[in-house]
Amino acid sequence: MKKIFAFDLGTGSIGECIREGKNIFHLDSILIPPDFASTKEFSKVRRQIRTKQAHKSREEWWRKQAHEAGIEVLESRQPTNAHPDIKPDKRLLREFPQDGDKTIYTSCLLRIALLQGVKLQGWQVYKAIWSALQHRGYDPQIP
């Protein structure tokens, strides 16, 4: 008769058995600590990655829509090693005007002005929508 080796790999244990016919030569199991096999931490990381990918997709979608509509597209990307010459547009970064400047820079005010039908420059329309995409909230009941 031949010896049979059996293994059972579970999520909480590893079992092993060696037998020949009805004779068992070795039988053991090892319990795995619950935290060792946990995917909780990886799930958080995966969720963060997916959120970042969705965020980048929305940004690219808005850039494309604005470009096709003839709205001035403001650069938002930061310099990287691959593209050290990229600089974000100061109008996109600025939230408050300088003294004596009547231009609306504040993102929430731009969104309000857009909803009220106030005549805005192209870059202001871009920034209003851009900020809405950045700070869209998490209310699932938004129409």
Side-chain angles (χ1 to χ4, degrees):
M1 254 197 189
K2 295 181 181 179
K3 288 188 180 172
I4 297 174
F5 296 86
F7 299 96
D8 176 34
L9 300 173
T11 58
S13 66
I14 299 173
E16 55 190 35
C17 177
I18 302 173
R19 71 175 179 86
E20 185 175 359
K22 293 183 180 182
N23 297 328
I24 296 175
F25 296 101
H26 175 76
L27 181 63
D28 198 7
S29 67
I30 302 168
L31 294 178
I32 300 171
D35 293 343
F36 182 78
S38 174
T39 59
K40 185 177 181 182
E41 199 58 38
F42 182 70
S43 294
K44 272 199 268 183
V45 171
R46 189 174 58 236
R47 190 175 314 112
Q48 290 171 344
I49 290 169
R50 287 182 180 165
T51 299
K52 187 72 170 173
Q53 288 172 336
H55 185 79
K56 292 291 183 190
S57 294
R58 283 191 304 275
E59 289 177 353
E60 286 303 316
W61 173 84
W62 174 234
R63 276 190 192 95
K64 182 181 176 199
Q65 299 304 312
H67 179 73
E68 288 176 3
I71 297 172
E72 181 182 359
V73 176
L74 302 180
E75 183 61 65
S76 63
R77 294 173 293 178
Q78 298 291 327
T80 62
N81 290 340
H83 301 285
D85 54 333
I86 292 177
K87 293 183 180 154
D89 194 299
K90 291 180 181 181
R91 296 172 293 182
L92 195 59
L93 300 176
R94 174 176 281 163
E95 284 294 313
F96 303 103
Q98 295 177 345
D99 289 340
D101 186 2
K102 301 290 185 192
T103 307
I104 303 172
Y105 290 97
T106 309
S107 299
C108 62
L109 295 179
L110 285 170
R111 293 194 307 266
I112 291 168
L114 188 63
L115 290 170
Q116 291 177 339
V118 174
K119 178 87 169 132
L120 297 173
Q121 296 177 29
W123 69 267
Q124 289 175 307
V125 172
Y126 183 85
K127 184 174 180 176
I129 304 297
W130 180 263
S131 68
L133 291 174
Q134 303 298 309
H135 308 288
R136 70 192 194 288
Y138 298 96
D139 185 354
Q141 301 302 318
I142 294 177

